[in-house]
Amino acid sequence: MISQPIYVQIADTIRRKVELGVYAYGSRLPTEREFSENFGVNRITVRKALKLLVDEGLLISSQGRGTFVSQPKISSGMDTIQGTSSFLTDMGFTPSSKMLHTLRRKAGYYFAKKLGIPEEDDVYQIIRLRQGDGDPLSLEYTTIPFSLIPNIENYDFSVFSLSELYERNGITLCKVKQVLSIVKLHEPQVTFLRCKEGDYGFISEEVVFGDAGRPIEFSKSYYSGRKFNFTSVME
């Protein structure tokens, strides 16, 4: 059996301590010098171990301040229909939305094809920053047929969720078609999600279908790869 490099073994030990809660979320880790003395290795080896964990998103390195345990990734299932707010609540977060922009416009070819409506029909677009405990989690672009919800322009979507409005208007969600891709994040995503230019993240494109089998919502959401995992159950 080939043994792992020393820096990988050190990274495994630190990771295990994070998982066991020895190093809690938000806590500052020992310094490179302290780790070096504890493990009996040089600081270059410790630095490689810490970099491995930073690249995984388990740790955050702050220039001049030290290395900290990052927030655990949120695991999102791909096999259920669930609104973002209720999902975050189930995960123990206090959900909130920062309203960035709303727009009434013609569907055009792109949204007409996604929503199965004529190109000349109006659609309503909602752009929100979704947050958990005040921390930015996803940048969400949602488009629905304008006629779907009466007086939709009068709602404040930093307060109301689309899920609530669907329920109020007797709209039942039956299925969702989701395409998930890994992308490099750029502006404006990096600013809103507080990540670095070129960081890898997820882009989720979803078409939600109502009980009549027709598409009622198309959304495109960007997630930081440092904060989210996506899982799928296949039977």
mmCIF file of all heavy atoms in Angstrom, residues 160-182:
data_model
loop_
_atom_site.group_PDB
_atom_site.id
_atom_site.type_symbol
_atom_site.label_atom_id
_atom_site.label_comp_id
_atom_site.label_asym_id
_atom_site.label_seq_id
_atom_site.Cartn_x
_atom_site.Cartn_y
_atom_site.Cartn_z
ATOM 1 N N PHE A 160 -42.144 38.593 0.069
ATOM 2 C CA PHE A 160 -42.936 37.457 -0.397
ATOM 3 C C PHE A 160 -42.083 36.524 -1.252
ATOM 4 O O PHE A 160 -41.194 36.962 -1.979
ATOM 5 C CB PHE A 160 -44.124 37.937 -1.234
ATOM 6 C CG PHE A 160 -45.156 38.695 -0.453
ATOM 7 C CD1 PHE A 160 -45.122 40.079 -0.389
ATOM 8 C CD2 PHE A 160 -46.159 38.028 0.231
ATOM 9 C CE1 PHE A 160 -46.066 40.787 0.322
ATOM 10 C CE2 PHE A 160 -47.112 38.718 0.952
ATOM 11 C CZ PHE A 160 -47.062 40.106 1.000
ATOM 12 N N SER A 161 -42.356 35.234 -1.161
ATOM 13 C CA SER A 161 -41.720 34.260 -2.038
ATOM 14 C C SER A 161 -42.698 33.875 -3.137
ATOM 15 O O SER A 161 -43.921 33.963 -2.962
ATOM 16 C CB SER A 161 -41.300 33.011 -1.257
ATOM 17 O OG SER A 161 -42.437 32.273 -0.849
ATOM 18 N N LEU A 162 -42.176 33.433 -4.265
ATOM 19 C CA LEU A 162 -43.038 32.958 -5.337
ATOM 20 C C LEU A 162 -43.863 31.758 -4.875
ATOM 21 O O LEU A 162 -45.019 31.603 -5.271
ATOM 22 C CB LEU A 162 -42.203 32.589 -6.564
ATOM 23 C CG LEU A 162 -41.932 33.726 -7.559
ATOM 24 C CD1 LEU A 162 -40.977 33.260 -8.640
ATOM 25 C CD2 LEU A 162 -43.217 34.247 -8.175
ATOM 26 N N SER A 163 -43.273 30.922 -4.034
ATOM 27 C CA SER A 163 -43.993 29.754 -3.526
ATOM 28 C C SER A 163 -45.261 30.164 -2.793
ATOM 29 O O SER A 163 -46.322 29.544 -2.942
ATOM 30 C CB SER A 163 -43.099 28.936 -2.593
ATOM 31 O OG SER A 163 -41.965 28.451 -3.271
ATOM 32 N N GLU A 164 -45.171 31.233 -1.994
ATOM 33 C CA GLU A 164 -46.349 31.734 -1.275
ATOM 34 C C GLU A 164 -47.408 32.238 -2.246
ATOM 35 O O GLU A 164 -48.605 31.982 -2.073
ATOM 36 C CB GLU A 164 -45.934 32.863 -0.333
ATOM 37 C CG GLU A 164 -45.100 32.432 0.862
ATOM 38 C CD GLU A 164 -44.627 33.611 1.677
ATOM 39 O OE1 GLU A 164 -44.090 34.574 1.097
ATOM 40 O OE2 GLU A 164 -44.815 33.573 2.896
ATOM 41 N N LEU A 165 -46.973 32.943 -3.274
ATOM 42 C CA LEU A 165 -47.924 33.494 -4.243
ATOM 43 C C LEU A 165 -48.559 32.390 -5.077
ATOM 44 O O LEU A 165 -49.741 32.476 -5.433
ATOM 45 C CB LEU A 165 -47.228 34.513 -5.149
ATOM 46 C CG LEU A 165 -46.697 35.769 -4.447
ATOM 47 C CD1 LEU A 165 -46.221 36.777 -5.485
ATOM 48 C CD2 LEU A 165 -47.775 36.400 -3.565
ATOM 49 N N TYR A 166 -47.793 31.353 -5.387
ATOM 50 C CA TYR A 166 -48.376 30.213 -6.090
ATOM 51 C C TYR A 166 -49.502 29.600 -5.246
ATOM 52 O O TYR A 166 -50.585 29.297 -5.742
ATOM 53 C CB TYR A 166 -47.312 29.158 -6.378
ATOM 54 C CG TYR A 166 -46.299 29.549 -7.430
ATOM 55 C CD1 TYR A 166 -45.016 29.006 -7.423
ATOM 56 C CD2 TYR A 166 -46.618 30.455 -8.444
ATOM 57 C CE1 TYR A 166 -44.081 29.358 -8.378
ATOM 58 C CE2 TYR A 166 -45.682 30.809 -9.400
ATOM 59 C CZ TYR A 166 -44.410 30.263 -9.364
ATOM 60 O OH TYR A 166 -43.489 30.614 -10.317
ATOM 61 N N GLU A 167 -49.218 29.418 -3.967
ATOM 62 C CA GLU A 167 -50.210 28.808 -3.072
ATOM 63 C C GLU A 167 -51.448 29.683 -2.956
ATOM 64 O O GLU A 167 -52.582 29.179 -3.000
ATOM 65 C CB GLU A 167 -49.583 28.578 -1.695
ATOM 66 C CG GLU A 167 -50.478 27.820 -0.733
ATOM 67 C CD GLU A 167 -49.782 27.513 0.583
ATOM 68 O OE1 GLU A 167 -48.549 27.682 0.663
ATOM 69 O OE2 GLU A 167 -50.487 27.113 1.530
ATOM 70 N N ARG A 168 -51.260 30.990 -2.831
ATOM 71 C CA ARG A 168 -52.385 31.913 -2.717
ATOM 72 C C ARG A 168 -53.276 31.881 -3.954
ATOM 73 O O ARG A 168 -54.479 32.116 -3.870
ATOM 74 C CB ARG A 168 -51.874 33.346 -2.522
ATOM 75 C CG ARG A 168 -51.303 33.641 -1.156
ATOM 76 C CD ARG A 168 -50.988 35.113 -1.049
ATOM 77 N NE ARG A 168 -50.409 35.447 0.238
ATOM 78 C CZ ARG A 168 -50.270 36.697 0.687
ATOM 79 N NH1 ARG A 168 -50.692 37.704 -0.055
ATOM 80 N NH2 ARG A 168 -49.721 36.936 1.862
ATOM 81 N N ASN A 169 -52.652 31.630 -5.094
ATOM 82 C CA ASN A 169 -53.391 31.662 -6.354
ATOM 83 C C ASN A 169 -53.757 30.277 -6.867
ATOM 84 O O ASN A 169 -54.132 30.120 -8.033
ATOM 85 C CB ASN A 169 -52.570 32.416 -7.408
ATOM 86 C CG ASN A 169 -52.529 33.915 -7.158
ATOM 87 O OD1 ASN A 169 -53.422 34.648 -7.575
ATOM 88 N ND2 ASN A 169 -51.503 34.365 -6.452
ATOM 89 N N GLY A 170 -53.667 29.275 -5.984
ATOM 90 C CA GLY A 170 -54.099 27.930 -6.330
ATOM 91 C C GLY A 170 -53.253 27.259 -7.398
ATOM 92 O O GLY A 170 -53.747 26.405 -8.140
ATOM 93 N N ILE A 171 -51.989 27.637 -7.481
ATOM 94 C CA ILE A 171 -51.086 27.053 -8.479
ATOM 95 C C ILE A 171 -50.287 25.935 -7.825
ATOM 96 O O ILE A 171 -49.576 26.157 -6.835
ATOM 97 C CB ILE A 171 -50.133 28.115 -9.055
ATOM 98 C CG1 ILE A 171 -50.951 29.220 -9.745
ATOM 99 C CG2 ILE A 171 -49.144 27.492 -10.033
ATOM 100 C CD1 ILE A 171 -50.125 30.431 -10.140
ATOM 101 N N THR A 172 -50.405 24.737 -8.362
ATOM 102 C CA THR A 172 -49.697 23.581 -7.821
ATOM 103 C C THR A 172 -48.493 23.253 -8.685
ATOM 104 O O THR A 172 -48.591 23.191 -9.909
ATOM 105 C CB THR A 172 -50.624 22.348 -7.769
ATOM 106 O OG1 THR A 172 -51.784 22.659 -6.993
ATOM 107 C CG2 THR A 172 -49.912 21.158 -7.154
ATOM 108 N N LEU A 173 -47.349 23.052 -8.040
ATOM 109 C CA LEU A 173 -46.132 22.684 -8.757
ATOM 110 C C LEU A 173 -46.036 21.166 -8.812
ATOM 111 O O LEU A 173 -46.135 20.495 -7.784
ATOM 112 C CB LEU A 173 -44.903 23.261 -8.053
ATOM 113 C CG LEU A 173 -44.956 24.758 -7.718
ATOM 114 C CD1 LEU A 173 -43.640 25.203 -7.098
ATOM 115 C CD2 LEU A 173 -45.278 25.579 -8.956
ATOM 116 N N CYS A 174 -45.850 20.635 -10.011
ATOM 117 C CA CYS A 174 -45.861 19.178 -10.182
ATOM 118 C C CYS A 174 -44.486 18.578 -10.423
ATOM 119 O O CYS A 174 -44.176 17.509 -9.914
ATOM 120 C CB CYS A 174 -46.784 18.798 -11.332
ATOM 121 S SG CYS A 174 -48.514 19.065 -10.938
ATOM 122 N N LYS A 175 -43.685 19.235 -11.216
ATOM 123 C CA LYS A 175 -42.359 18.689 -11.483
ATOM 124 C C LYS A 175 -41.418 19.798 -11.902
ATOM 125 O O LYS A 175 -41.846 20.906 -12.264
ATOM 126 C CB LYS A 175 -42.416 17.605 -12.559
ATOM 127 C CG LYS A 175 -42.798 18.112 -13.943
ATOM 128 C CD LYS A 175 -42.732 16.976 -14.973
ATOM 129 C CE LYS A 175 -43.087 17.477 -16.371
ATOM 130 N NZ LYS A 175 -42.958 16.414 -17.392
ATOM 131 N N VAL A 176 -40.147 19.506 -11.834
ATOM 132 C CA VAL A 176 -39.135 20.470 -12.234
ATOM 133 C C VAL A 176 -38.082 19.766 -13.078
ATOM 134 O O VAL A 176 -37.674 18.645 -12.780
ATOM 135 C CB VAL A 176 -38.478 21.144 -10.994
ATOM 136 C CG1 VAL A 176 -37.844 20.098 -10.081
ATOM 137 C CG2 VAL A 176 -37.446 22.174 -11.420
ATOM 138 N N LYS A 177 -37.676 20.423 -14.126
ATOM 139 C CA LYS A 177 -36.586 19.932 -14.970
ATOM 140 C C LYS A 177 -35.381 20.810 -14.705
ATOM 141 O O LYS A 177 -35.417 22.018 -14.911
ATOM 142 C CB LYS A 177 -36.975 19.992 -16.443
ATOM 143 C CG LYS A 177 -35.882 19.510 -17.391
ATOM 144 C CD LYS A 177 -36.330 19.615 -18.842
ATOM 145 C CE LYS A 177 -35.221 19.171 -19.789
ATOM 146 N NZ LYS A 177 -35.651 19.313 -21.217
ATOM 147 N N GLN A 178 -34.309 20.187 -14.222
ATOM 148 C CA GLN A 178 -33.139 20.953 -13.800
ATOM 149 C C GLN A 178 -31.903 20.515 -14.555
ATOM 150 O O GLN A 178 -31.651 19.315 -14.736
ATOM 151 C CB GLN A 178 -32.903 20.779 -12.292
ATOM 152 C CG GLN A 178 -31.708 21.578 -11.755
ATOM 153 C CD GLN A 178 -31.460 21.325 -10.279
ATOM 154 O OE1 GLN A 178 -31.395 20.182 -9.854
ATOM 155 N NE2 GLN A 178 -31.344 22.376 -9.502
ATOM 156 N N VAL A 179 -31.140 21.495 -15.004
ATOM 157 C CA VAL A 179 -29.835 21.237 -15.612
ATOM 158 C C VAL A 179 -28.800 21.949 -14.753
ATOM 159 O O VAL A 179 -28.888 23.164 -14.521
ATOM 160 C CB VAL A 179 -29.761 21.756 -17.061
ATOM 161 C CG1 VAL A 179 -28.354 21.546 -17.629
ATOM 162 C CG2 VAL A 179 -30.791 21.061 -17.940
ATOM 163 N N LEU A 180 -27.835 21.197 -14.252
ATOM 164 C CA LEU A 180 -26.812 21.745 -13.362
ATOM 165 C C LEU A 180 -25.457 21.689 -14.045
ATOM 166 O O LEU A 180 -25.060 20.643 -14.562
ATOM 167 C CB LEU A 180 -26.774 20.942 -12.054
ATOM 168 C CG LEU A 180 -25.859 21.471 -10.948
ATOM 169 C CD1 LEU A 180 -26.395 22.790 -10.403
ATOM 170 C CD2 LEU A 180 -25.746 20.442 -9.829
ATOM 171 N N SER A 181 -24.762 22.812 -14.055
ATOM 172 C CA SER A 181 -23.451 22.880 -14.703
ATOM 173 C C SER A 181 -22.443 23.517 -13.761
ATOM 174 O O SER A 181 -22.803 24.307 -12.874
ATOM 175 C CB SER A 181 -23.523 23.710 -15.993
ATOM 176 O OG SER A 181 -24.504 23.213 -16.871
ATOM 177 N N ILE A 182 -21.185 23.161 -13.949
ATOM 178 C CA ILE A 182 -20.089 23.792 -13.210
ATOM 179 C C ILE A 182 -19.498 24.886 -14.098
ATOM 180 O O ILE A 182 -19.204 24.655 -15.266
ATOM 181 C CB ILE A 182 -19.014 22.763 -12.835
ATOM 182 C CG1 ILE A 182 -19.599 21.694 -11.904
ATOM 183 C CG2 ILE A 182 -17.823 23.447 -12.161
ATOM 184 C CD1 ILE A 182 -18.644 20.564 -11.589
#
